[in-house]
Amino acid sequence: MRLRRFATPDSLAVLILLALWLFFFWRLFTPVLTDQASLEKGDFSGQFVAFAAYQYDRFADRDIPLWNPYNNGGFPFVGDTQAAAFYPPRLAALALSALLDRFSYHTLELEMTIHVLAASLFMYALVRRLTAQQSGSVFGALVAALIFSYGGFMQSYPPLQLALLEAAIWLPLAVLGLHEATRHERLRWSWLALTGFAYGLSWLAGHPQTTFFITYLLIAYFIYRARQRRYPPLHILAGLILFGALGGALAAIQLLPGVEYLMHTARTGLTFEAKGNGFPFQDVLQFIFPGILSQWSPLYVGLLGFILALIALWRRLPDVWFWLIVALIALGLSFGANSPIYDLLYNIVPGLRFFRGQERAAFLISFSLALMAGLAASHLISWDKLQDFKATRRIQQALIALALLCGLVTILVFVGWLGDPETFGTAFKAVTITLLIALLSLALLPWLLNHPQQIHRPALLLALLVFDLFTLSLDSPYNYDPVPPDQQLSLAPTPLVNAALADTDIPFRVDGFRGLNDNYGSLYKLADMRGISPLFLDAPYALINAAYINPLAWELFAVRYVYTDWQELPIASEIIATGEDRYGSVNLHRLTDPRPFAHLVDDVRLAENQSVALTITNDPNLNLRDTIILEDLPLESLPAELDSNATAVVTGFQPESFTVLVTTAADTILSLSHPYYPGWSATIDGTPTPIYRAYAALSAVAVPAGEHTITLFYDPLSFKLGALLSLVTALGLAILVAVMVVRIRQTYARN
């Protein structure tokens, strides 16, 4: 009896989703070494694994990772949204790693797979509720869940762009909260907390562009639903404020430092051309023919899924026009500057100008079409072949036309393949599979409509959908390598990295454009002036990335070692190690006379502002070892010459604080190869003192004569306020959930 009680349609559907999830990722789960695969190196390894390893080490040391000195010349780690420093699932993954006493490449792979499973369950729950009164509800929910989770978008680059994937999966749950809140004549305010919770987690996941798309979709859907129910305008406005404020407050621990950081990054200077990239128009062919135009096919929702979405539109199912409009607007936006739609939206939609890569709007297309396909699948189970005889014939005729189209394209590509097998080989394989799916759809869909209540018929249609989606994405060579994760990336430093790590006279930096690469400075705890994070402080970016071989940046950022394929540098150096990276041979140069991290100067040149200071700093005739460029004069007078016996010695260095012991017979300026950034404070012998901006990008402190201990520490107000707001919001949501659970139990007890 107990087994029967749990063998409900929903529990069986969840088991199906779980089984398909295990099958899709079986090569990431299998213990058989020779069968294992791992996610491709690239942004996944160079950005997300590197940053997660840094988080793990800092949390293991019981430290909060507010600052990261190991990439970009130093940056606010908590402010870099893609670091997802306080995203709860990431914290859970790191906590599990701590219990196992080992962080690995596989840790984030498992985190990725869990999010795909969560996406399928959330989408299932949403469509199940949208179609709860229909006999085909479970079938429709399964269809939508599979398309959303395993369709062309979610299984294209999002597994490698982990922040994007993790931000996207919360959309179905947020929409579910809005649906439940607006199901009745009166707005059910408590359900907006679910939307706020999911919305906040999307922000915490660390891909603001995806959450930006989600924001506008949630606003539009809530207004649409509220207007249908004729809610008072004040209630609509209050509802929008409620779930928006809840989400923002929950994510404030990252949002406030993130906004502060964004205002100081090079990202704010992106041109319209840099932000306008998107799909070329021919990519609309991806809806039917995946795998022939580009490496990935993010617009593909399965041929069967596309057919079902069109049926939903044709049958005018509830809310289908809303989701069609969402898909069309997103499609227009996804073309970027190739379409005038982007120019229009760029000028009227607040926030759009902050983001590049407009093709990511395909996320909303995938979600909308998956939902429409789920609605149609649920509708078909209640199909009456006698009452809908003409409609059945029209569907069959449309499927015949589609099969003929696919057949014609296959013939044309086959002819091309006969003449040039190398060029047309991939396309021929892709269109052949599409033709097969079209023919199977022609056979199965009308067959389903004859007796839709027979369980094996929708089951076979579901199997066809799985075959379609999994054929495209399962074990994709663009996402997976046939090597175990431990062989994909060594978490132990390479010999080239060890050669620099052997120098314990810290702090110093390296130029890791070659040899170290990506954000591996964070992985190996080797301070790199470079990095690949999309956010980079603007002035340091201008100085560091002005050239590949950059003696100016080496001087200002206290670079001691340079990884390069050059045999000789423009300044004196010695090759101390050789090796290889993914681009070829690499030499490790040790600079003969590197600038120390803490350096005393007395020759001050004033600049009117940061821009002028940057121009002066780039003057090749200026001796930056003797002269400092400031925007304020911290001391009224300085000696003509620096005391030859004056010293500045770094006596302690941690990511969020460091100390320098200065001994000088006269007033002087302490120049620090440390970024100038809000939240950093300084003291001299425990007394607060100002930090001045030097060389447009770095920090300096005015030091009076004598022996003094200068301490700099990072304690940003944005983080403290954000942490307090997030904590209070999380506690409030927990109390609300507890109250709702108690009320539900009391209701069941009374009944």
Side-chain angles (χ1 to χ4, degrees):
M1 292 295 294
R2 290 182 178 179
L3 184 60
R4 289 183 179 179
R5 186 174 62 184
F6 287 105
T8 64
D10 287 316
S11 60
L12 291 176
V14 169
L15 286 176
I16 290 172
L17 291 175
L18 180 61
L20 290 172
W21 171 72
L22 290 170
F23 173 60
F24 189 86
F25 293 113
W26 75 271
R27 294 194 67 182
L28 299 184
F29 297 140
T30 179
V32 181
L33 195 64
T34 54
D35 292 338
Q36 288 180 1
S38 55
L39 285 171
E40 279 267 10
K41 283 197 296 188
D43 284 348
F44 181 80
S45 58
Q47 169 90 352
F48 299 103
V49 172
F51 279 178
Y54 177 70
Q55 283 176 274
Y56 173 79
D57 289 339
R58 295 299 308 280
F59 284 132
D61 292 336
R62 295 180 172 83
D63 293 327
I64 299 176
L66 300 179
W67 187 265
N68 185 339
Y70 298 113
N71 280 113
N72 297 4
F75 69 98
F77 189 71
V78 69
D80 191 317
T81 51
Q82 292 201 16
F86 297 98
Y87 180 50
R90 173 67 50 76
L91 299 180
L94 297 180
L96 180 60
S97 297
L99 289 176
L100 300 175
D101 198 26
R102 180 176 182 262
F103 174 82
S104 69
Y105 194 87
H106 197 45
T107 299
L108 284 202
E109 290 183 330
L110 294 178
E111 181 180 311
M112 180 276 291
T113 64
I114 291 294
H115 278 76
V116 173
L117 177 62
S120 67
L121 296 176
F122 293 158
M123 193 67 173
Y124 176 84
L126 171 61
V127 178
R128 185 76 169 89
R129 290 300 297 165
L130 292 176
T131 61
Q133 305 303 317
Q134 301 177 27
S135 58
S137 178
V138 172
F139 176 57
L142 278 172
V143 166
L146 291 172
I147 293 173
F148 180 62
S149 305
Y150 302 103
F153 178 82
M154 202 67 87
Q155 294 306 323
S156 56
Y157 48 82
L160 304 179
Q161 293 282 338
L162 191 59
L164 194 161
L165 173 72
E166 295 183 345
I169 67 118
W170 298 102
L171 176 57
L173 194 62
V175 173
L176 176 61
L178 296 182
H179 172 74
E180 292 298 310
T182 56
R183 281 181 61 208
H184 300 284
E185 296 303 317
R186 298 182 61 182
L187 182 62
R188 299 197 293 175
W189 298 93
S190 58
W191 279 102
L192 294 178
L194 177 62
T195 298
F197 170 76
Y199 181 53
L201 287 178
S202 181
W203 277 118
L204 286 167
H207 198 266
Q209 184 178 22
T210 298
T211 310
F212 167 81
F213 291 144
I214 289 175
T215 300
Y216 279 100
L217 176 56
L218 294 179
I219 291 172
Y221 185 67
F222 181 68
I223 293 175
Y224 168 75
R225 292 278 299 178
R227 292 292 295 170
Q228 282 186 325
R229 295 293 183 187
R230 301 183 183 277
Y231 295 151
L234 285 179
H235 285 196
I236 298 175
L237 178 61
L240 291 172
I241 293 173
L242 178 59
F243 77 73
L246 277 175
L250 186 64
I253 192 171
Q254 281 181 201
L255 278 182
L256 295 186
V259 171
E260 180 179 59
Y261 184 32
L262 181 64
M263 296 299 103
H264 294 84
T265 65
R267 174 61 68 92
T268 58
L270 285 177
T271 64
F272 174 80
E273 287 73 22
K275 292 178 282 190
N277 54 311
F279 291 130
F281 282 117
Q282 62 266 28
D283 272 23
V284 296
L285 294 175
Q286 290 181 16
F287 285 119
I288 298 177
F289 299 105
I292 61 173
L293 295 173
S294 60
Q295 180 171 313
W296 290 293
S297 302
L299 292 175
Y300 191 65
V301 294
L303 186 60
L304 180 58
F306 189 63
I307 292 168
L308 289 172
L310 292 178
I311 290 175
L313 179 63
W314 173 51
R315 301 291 285 185
R316 299 182 181 180
L317 299 181
D319 299 334
V320 71
W321 285 104
F322 174 85
W323 297 112
L324 175 66
I325 291 171
V326 170
L328 291 176
I329 292 174
L331 180 62
L333 178 59
S334 72
F335 293 130
N338 296 320
S339 163
I341 294 175
Y342 175 67
D343 294 67
L344 175 65
L345 296 177
Y346 184 86
N347 286 289
I348 65 174
V349 177
L352 185 59
R353 61 183 61 241
F354 285 112
F355 305 108
R356 59 182 177 86
Q358 306 309 321
E359 71 280 352
R360 293 165 184 161
F363 158 58
L364 296 183
I365 302 171
S366 175
F367 176 80
S368 299
L369 294 183
L371 200 151
M372 291 169 63
L375 295 176
S378 177
H379 171 71
L380 293 182
I381 298 302
S382 58
W383 194 269
D384 188 323
K385 67 177 182 178
L386 296 178
Q387 182 179 349
D388 296 307
F389 176 76
K390 291 183 179 180
T392 304
R393 289 293 300 273
R394 288 179 181 176
I395 290 176
Q396 191 170 24
Q397 290 167 356
L399 291 172
I400 291 172
L402 177 63
L404 290 174
L405 172 65
C406 294
L408 177 61
V409 172
T410 303
I411 292 171
L412 292 175
V413 175
F414 176 68
V415 172
W417 176 77
L418 289 176
D420 189 354
E422 185 174 347
T423 301
F424 286 89
T426 301
F428 182 48
K429 176 184 175 182
V431 298
T432 301
I433 293 173
T434 300
L435 174 61
L436 175 62
I437 301 298
L439 292 173
L440 290 174
S441 299
L442 173 60
L444 289 180
L445 197 52
W447 177 67
L448 165 72
L449 297 180
N450 284 331
H451 297 285
Q453 298 294 337
Q454 294 179 357
I455 192 171
H456 64 281
R457 298 192 181 217
L460 282 176
L461 203 66
L462 196 68
L464 175 60
L465 178 64
V466 171
F467 175 76
D468 187 359
L469 297 175
F470 282 30
T471 298
L472 176 68
S473 302
L474 181 66
D475 204 22
S476 167
Y478 303 120
N479 283 6
Y480 303 95
D481 271 341
V483 298
D486 289 342
Q487 297 178 21
Q488 185 68 266
L489 175 68
S490 173
L491 299 189
T494 64
L496 269 178
V497 174
N498 272 326
L501 287 174
D503 188 339
T504 57
D505 183 18
I506 60 172
F508 64 86
R509 289 193 183 89
V510 304
D511 184 340
F513 185 79
R514 290 287 306 274
L516 185 57
N517 304 128
D518 300 338
N519 287 333
Y520 292 139
S522 296
L523 180 64
Y524 300 127
K525 305 297 184 297
L526 181 60
D528 187 4
M529 76 172 193
R530 299 187 190 264
I532 62 166
S533 180
L535 296 180
F536 206 124
L537 288 170
D538 51 359
Y541 181 87
L543 291 170
I544 291 170
N545 291 299
Y548 164 46
I549 298 296
N550 192 343
L552 171 65
W554 299 342
E555 169 70 17
L556 293 179
F557 287 86
V559 169
R560 192 177 297 171
Y561 298 93
V562 176
Y563 292 93
T564 177
D565 55 350
W566 286 30
Q567 293 295 323
E568 187 175 345
L569 298 179
I571 60 177
S573 67
E574 174 191 4
I575 296 177
I576 64 169
T578 60
E580 291 189 352
D581 65 3
R582 59 178 175 261
Y583 303 110
S585 299
V586 178
N587 298 315
L588 176 59
H589 293 254
R590 190 189 196 282
L591 303 186
T592 302
D593 183 28
R595 182 190 186 107
F597 180 85
H599 178 63
L600 298 177
V601 294
D602 60 356
D603 181 21
V604 177
R605 288 190 59 176
L606 289 179
E608 298 174 5
N609 51 50
Q610 186 180 21
S611 178
V612 174
L614 192 61
T615 301
I616 297 174
T617 300
N618 278 286
D619 183 353
N621 298 316
L622 189 67
N623 186 340
L624 296 177
R625 187 69 61 96
D626 298 333
T627 303
I628 190 168
I629 314 301
L630 300 177
E631 294 159 51
D632 291 301
L633 185 62
L635 297 174
E636 293 183 1
S637 62
L638 289 171
E641 289 188 17
L642 182 69
D643 175 15
S644 60
N645 295 318
T647 59
V649 179
V650 178
T651 58
F653 187 86
Q654 298 295 327
E656 284 80 33
S657 66
F658 57 89
T659 57
V660 183
L661 179 62
V662 174
T663 303
T664 176
D667 296 349
T668 187
I669 302 294
L670 175 63
S671 173
L672 298 164
S673 296
H674 180 77
Y676 180 86
Y677 187 74
W680 280 93
S681 302
T683 63
I684 297 180
D685 301 326
T687 301
T689 191
I691 298 176
Y692 298 93
R693 183 160 55 199
Y695 308 109
L698 299 173
S699 299
V701 174
V703 182
E707 182 176 294
H708 303 284
T709 298
I710 291 84
T711 301
L712 273 76
F713 54 93
Y714 186 56
D715 187 25
L717 179 62
S718 59
F719 169 73
K720 290 186 287 188
L721 289 177
L724 178 62
L725 191 55
S726 293
L727 179 61
V728 171
T729 304
L731 290 175
L733 286 174
I735 292 171
L736 176 62
V737 170
V739 170
M740 292 179 66
V741 169
V742 169
R743 287 182 177 177
I744 291 172
R745 287 184 174 180
Q746 290 175 345
T747 301
Y748 276 111
R750 285 195 297 266
N751 295 335

